[in-house]
PDB file of all heavy atoms in Angstrom:
ATOM      1  N   HIS A 124      -1.213   6.484  10.212  1.00 98.00           N
ATOM      2  CA  HIS A 124      -1.195   5.813   8.905  1.00 98.00           C
ATOM      3  C   HIS A 124      -1.516   6.830   7.827  1.00 98.00           C
ATOM      4  O   HIS A 124      -2.363   7.709   8.026  1.00 98.00           O
ATOM      5  CB  HIS A 124      -2.247   4.700   8.915  1.00 98.00           C
ATOM      6  CG  HIS A 124      -2.373   3.944   7.631  1.00 98.00           C
ATOM      7  ND1 HIS A 124      -1.335   3.219   7.081  1.00 98.00           N
ATOM      8  CD2 HIS A 124      -3.436   3.786   6.779  1.00 98.00           C
ATOM      9  CE1 HIS A 124      -1.744   2.635   5.970  1.00 98.00           C
ATOM     10  NE2 HIS A 124      -3.009   2.966   5.760  1.00 98.00           N
ATOM     11  N   ASN A 204     -11.130   5.212   4.635  1.00 95.00           N
ATOM     12  CA  ASN A 204      -9.832   5.874   4.744  1.00 95.00           C
ATOM     13  C   ASN A 204      -8.819   5.083   3.927  1.00 95.00           C
ATOM     14  O   ASN A 204      -9.129   4.023   3.370  1.00 95.00           O
ATOM     15  CB  ASN A 204      -9.402   5.982   6.214  1.00 95.00           C
ATOM     16  CG  ASN A 204      -8.321   7.021   6.420  1.00 95.00           C
ATOM     17  OD1 ASN A 204      -8.411   8.138   5.941  1.00 95.00           O
ATOM     18  ND2 ASN A 204      -7.268   6.656   7.134  1.00 95.00           N
ATOM     19  N   ARG A 205      -7.585   5.579   3.877  1.00 94.00           N
ATOM     20  CA  ARG A 205      -6.553   4.951   3.055  1.00 94.00           C
ATOM     21  C   ARG A 205      -6.429   3.466   3.359  1.00 94.00           C
ATOM     22  O   ARG A 205      -6.525   3.038   4.505  1.00 94.00           O
ATOM     23  CB  ARG A 205      -5.210   5.645   3.295  1.00 94.00           C
ATOM     24  CG  ARG A 205      -4.073   5.178   2.395  1.00 94.00           C
ATOM     25  CD  ARG A 205      -4.306   5.569   0.967  1.00 94.00           C
ATOM     26  NE  ARG A 205      -4.459   7.012   0.825  1.00 94.00           N
ATOM     27  CZ  ARG A 205      -5.040   7.611  -0.201  1.00 94.00           C
ATOM     28  NH1 ARG A 205      -5.541   6.885  -1.177  1.00 94.00           N
ATOM     29  NH2 ARG A 205      -5.129   8.918  -0.247  1.00 94.00           N
ATOM     30  N   ILE A 206      -6.250   2.674   2.315  1.00 96.00           N
ATOM     31  CA  ILE A 206      -6.129   1.230   2.458  1.00 96.00           C
ATOM     32  C   ILE A 206      -5.094   0.886   3.525  1.00 96.00           C
ATOM     33  O   ILE A 206      -4.029   1.479   3.595  1.00 96.00           O
ATOM     34  CB  ILE A 206      -5.754   0.582   1.100  1.00 96.00           C
ATOM     35  CG1 ILE A 206      -5.932  -0.934   1.133  1.00 96.00           C
ATOM     36  CG2 ILE A 206      -4.359   0.994   0.654  1.00 96.00           C
ATOM     37  CD1 ILE A 206      -7.350  -1.366   1.095  1.00 96.00           C
ATOM     38  N   GLY A 207      -5.444  -0.060   4.376  1.00 97.00           N
ATOM     39  CA  GLY A 207      -4.587  -0.426   5.497  1.00 97.00           C
ATOM     40  C   GLY A 207      -5.098   0.060   6.840  1.00 97.00           C
ATOM     41  O   GLY A 207      -4.629  -0.392   7.893  1.00 97.00           O
ATOM     42  N   THR A 208      -6.091   0.967   6.813  1.00 98.00           N
ATOM     43  CA  THR A 208      -6.654   1.477   8.074  1.00 98.00           C
ATOM     44  C   THR A 208      -7.398   0.375   8.827  1.00 98.00           C
ATOM     45  O   THR A 208      -7.283   0.254  10.056  1.00 98.00           O
ATOM     46  CB  THR A 208      -7.603   2.652   7.798  1.00 98.00           C
ATOM     47  OG1 THR A 208      -6.901   3.682   7.089  1.00 98.00           O
ATOM     48  CG2 THR A 208      -8.151   3.231   9.099  1.00 98.00           C
ATOM     49  N   TYR A 209      -8.153  -0.433   8.099  1.00 98.00           N
ATOM     50  CA  TYR A 209      -8.952  -1.478   8.743  1.00 98.00           C
ATOM     51  C   TYR A 209      -8.098  -2.487   9.508  1.00 98.00           C
ATOM     52  O   TYR A 209      -8.384  -2.766  10.698  1.00 98.00           O
ATOM     53  CB  TYR A 209      -9.825  -2.171   7.699  1.00 98.00           C
ATOM     54  CG  TYR A 209     -10.633  -3.333   8.214  1.00 98.00           C
ATOM     55  CD1 TYR A 209     -11.393  -3.234   9.376  1.00 98.00           C
ATOM     56  CD2 TYR A 209     -10.651  -4.538   7.520  1.00 98.00           C
ATOM     57  CE1 TYR A 209     -12.138  -4.307   9.835  1.00 98.00           C
ATOM     58  CE2 TYR A 209     -11.399  -5.613   7.977  1.00 98.00           C
ATOM     59  CZ  TYR A 209     -12.138  -5.497   9.136  1.00 98.00           C
ATOM     60  OH  TYR A 209     -12.867  -6.555   9.588  1.00 98.00           O
ATOM     61  N   PRO A 210      -7.039  -3.068   8.934  1.00 98.00           N
ATOM     62  CA  PRO A 210      -6.226  -4.003   9.729  1.00 98.00           C
ATOM     63  C   PRO A 210      -5.535  -3.339  10.913  1.00 98.00           C
ATOM     64  O   PRO A 210      -5.330  -3.976  11.948  1.00 98.00           O
ATOM     65  CB  PRO A 210      -5.210  -4.557   8.726  1.00 98.00           C
ATOM     66  CG  PRO A 210      -5.244  -3.647   7.566  1.00 98.00           C
ATOM     67  CD  PRO A 210      -6.607  -3.056   7.521  1.00 98.00           C
ATOM     68  N   ILE A 211      -5.205  -2.065  10.786  1.00 98.00           N
ATOM     69  CA  ILE A 211      -4.611  -1.354  11.926  1.00 98.00           C
ATOM     70  C   ILE A 211      -5.633  -1.223  13.050  1.00 98.00           C
ATOM     71  O   ILE A 211      -5.329  -1.467  14.226  1.00 98.00           O
ATOM     72  CB  ILE A 211      -4.081   0.024  11.489  1.00 98.00           C
ATOM     73  CG1 ILE A 211      -2.832  -0.138  10.620  1.00 98.00           C
ATOM     74  CG2 ILE A 211      -3.766   0.897  12.705  1.00 98.00           C
ATOM     75  CD1 ILE A 211      -2.339   1.153  10.002  1.00 98.00           C
ATOM     76  N   ALA A 212      -6.865  -0.835  12.688  1.00 98.00           N
ATOM     77  CA  ALA A 212      -7.920  -0.706  13.700  1.00 98.00           C
ATOM     78  C   ALA A 212      -8.227  -2.048  14.347  1.00 98.00           C
ATOM     79  O   ALA A 212      -8.501  -2.131  15.554  1.00 98.00           O
ATOM     80  CB  ALA A 212      -9.176  -0.115  13.066  1.00 98.00           C
ATOM     81  N   ASP A 264     -10.052   1.421   2.257  1.00 96.00           N
ATOM     82  CA  ASP A 264     -10.788   0.301   2.828  1.00 96.00           C
ATOM     83  C   ASP A 264     -11.842   0.827   3.785  1.00 96.00           C
ATOM     84  O   ASP A 264     -11.923   2.026   4.067  1.00 96.00           O
ATOM     85  CB  ASP A 264      -9.867  -0.751   3.467  1.00 96.00           C
ATOM     86  CG  ASP A 264      -9.031  -0.236   4.620  1.00 96.00           C
ATOM     87  OD1 ASP A 264      -9.323   0.865   5.145  1.00 96.00           O
ATOM     88  OD2 ASP A 264      -8.067  -0.931   5.012  1.00 96.00           O
TER      89      ASP A 264
END
Side-chain angles (χ1 to χ4, degrees):
H124 178 61
N204 198 48
R205 186 67 58 200
I206 193 74
T208 303
Y209 176 48
I211 289 173
D264 61 14

